[in-house]
Amino acid sequence: MTDESWAGWYRDRQGSDAVILTTDGQQLRLRIRGIDFEGESFDGLAPVAGAPPTDGLFALVDGALGDCVLEWDLPLPVLWDGAVHQATLSCLLSLRRPDPYLYLELQFGGAAYGSRRAESDFASALATIQRVLPPGVRLQTCIACAFSDYFPAPGRGLSGGLACFRGAKDAYRGAAGEGDVLDLWDRRTGFVQEVWSCREYEPRPDHGAGTGHRGAFPLELA
């Protein structure tokens, strides 16, 4: 996977700073005020090993960035009329206590399509956007891919817990239900960000075999 970088802003009680978020589809990296952070989820960005002390610079919750707001834009491919088009996804993530929330808005074709104002995770927010897109327009991201699924268990994190089965495509194409995904779990290629997209993307089936544990997209059973 090739790294992507997304420009944005970081805000907390100390002020506002322009930042660049970088990801390879799995690991997120962010540099703020001379300190490097990384993690597999947007709410799990912690100082890298060997980073200078952060005393007074940030509010860390369980070692990760908290009590702050992150905003960034990223290019997001969509399928429409048999071709791939570029849209822009604007992301607003508030990690302020006690009520963190996520809001996503997709700009495409001169219109804006938003999630609910207080989503709990990227999967739900992207599913909300897919539901309001015009007929025939589909997100081309990992959350909408034919080879992605979550572990069959209640609940999921904010981001980054989506398993990719691109290394076991034929087997996953027959997966329909919790048991099938459990049988395939150790054959996953790894975990990916829901907003990531790779060259091996295929649209997720609307029903039946290949819908795994979580079902079709945007309908989710997880």
Side-chain angles (χ1 to χ4, degrees):
M1 292 183 179
T2 303
D3 285 3
E4 286 189 8
S5 294
W6 308 323
W9 291 89
Y10 169 87
R11 301 198 309 272
D12 63 11
R13 298 180 189 277
Q14 303 280 358
S16 180
D17 296 82
V19 295
I20 301 293
L21 271 163
T22 302
T23 182
D24 60 3
Q26 298 174 317
Q27 193 80 355
L28 299 160
R29 300 184 297 280
L30 177 65
R31 185 176 179 85
I32 313 169
R33 299 167 190 160
I35 306 295
D36 292 315
F37 294 81
E38 65 180 8
E40 295 180 354
S41 178
F42 288 98
D43 59 352
L45 293 167
V48 300
T54 61
D55 297 347
L57 283 176
F58 307 98
L60 300 183
V61 179
D62 296 328
L65 283 174
D67 197 22
C68 63
V69 176
L70 280 169
E71 294 183 74
W72 70 99
D73 292 340
L74 60 98
L76 199 80
V78 298
L79 292 171
W80 179 47
D81 199 23
V84 178
H85 302 259
Q86 284 298 325
T88 299
L89 185 69
S90 296
C91 309
L92 172 63
L93 173 62
S94 172
L95 296 174
R96 297 194 185 281
R97 306 293 176 169
D99 297 310
Y101 68 87
L102 171 70
Y103 174 70
L104 303 180
E105 185 176 273
L106 185 77
Q107 288 95 40
F108 174 66
Y113 305 92
S115 69
R116 290 184 291 269
R117 285 285 169 180
E119 300 278 9
S120 59
D121 57 65
F122 277 82
S124 297
L126 291 166
T128 300
I129 289 175
Q130 180 63 66
R131 291 186 187 101
V132 298
L133 284 173
V137 179
R138 295 181 63 91
L139 301 177
Q140 185 177 308
T141 65
C142 288
I143 190 62
C145 181
F147 309 118
S148 64
D149 215 328
Y150 290 103
F151 185 76
R156 60 183 170 230
L158 174 69
S159 67
L162 183 64
C164 172
F165 292 93
R166 67 182 182 275
K169 291 179 182 178
D170 289 342
Y172 189 84
R173 284 191 177 101
E178 176 179 319
D180 288 349
V181 174
L182 284 174
D183 290 343
L184 286 173
W185 192 250
D186 289 341
R187 297 179 63 185
R188 67 190 183 278
T189 304
F191 294 96
V192 291
Q193 296 294 329
E194 287 79 356
V195 293
W196 190 254
S197 181
C198 85
R199 297 176 183 175
E200 298 185 59
Y201 167 89
E202 290 184 19
R204 195 168 185 82
D206 291 329
H207 54 81
T211 55
H213 160 61
R214 66 186 179 94
F217 181 81
L219 175 63
E220 292 185 318
L221 304 179

